[in-house]
Amino acid sequence: MADGDQVAGRVIRVRLDETATESDIGALRKWLEREQGLDELVRAGTLRIHERRRTDETGAPMGVGMEIVVALVSAAATVGFNQLIVQVGRAVEAWRDNRREVEDGDPPEGRVEPVDLDG
């Protein structure tokens, strides 16, 4: 594992595009919480998944939009941060595929990215 790859306090932001509804955000958060691998980390207390108001790069609120935050909260986590980003990205794509099957219309596009807490 690379130096710093397993540091507590690392954060991943999941944003859906402007076509997303509040319902989409809630459904995706629940999907992530139940996703195999992520659910184990949540139950172990090493990962937290929650919704928050969207902000821009300066931290200023961006309208009424919401985003999902996946936070690695324990250095004891057995998953590397880069691996976690990939896993969350795959989970978002699986949610989009599922939503496409159960609802009319195209699902919102999703963006998964690490957040620089130092920046």
Side-chain angles (χ1 to χ4, degrees):
M1 228 177 266
D3 189 32
D5 197 34
Q6 195 177 20
V7 176
R10 300 289 304 263
V11 174
I12 299 168
R13 176 174 48 216
V14 179
R15 287 186 172 171
L16 297 178
D17 68 21
E18 66 279 347
T19 65
T21 64
E22 296 286 327
S23 171
D24 287 325
I25 297 291
L28 177 54
R29 180 187 49 80
K30 289 177 185 173
W31 182 278
L32 291 171
E33 290 172 341
R34 292 187 307 258
E35 187 70 15
Q36 186 177 3
L38 299 179
D39 66 336
E40 296 166 8
L41 294 171
V42 169
R43 283 195 311 269
T46 58
L47 190 72
R48 290 192 187 133
I49 301 172
H50 63 275
E51 298 172 36
R52 72 174 182 193
R53 293 272 172 222
R54 285 180 73 157
T55 58
D56 64 15
E57 289 72 30
T58 67
M62 290 179 55
V64 296
M66 298 292 287
E67 63 189 10
I68 297 171
V69 174
V70 179
L72 194 58
V73 295
S74 172
T78 59
V79 64
F81 189 68
N82 292 334
Q83 179 185 351
L84 184 61
I85 293 170
V86 170
Q87 191 172 3
V88 169
R90 287 183 184 149
V92 170
E93 283 306 309
W95 173 80
R96 291 185 73 241
D97 291 343
N98 181 71
R99 186 184 176 284
R100 191 175 289 115
E101 291 179 17
V102 299
E103 292 188 33
D104 292 333
D106 289 328
E109 292 289 328
R111 200 170 73 221
V112 176
E113 57 194 11
V115 175
D116 180 9
L117 297 177
D118 296 329

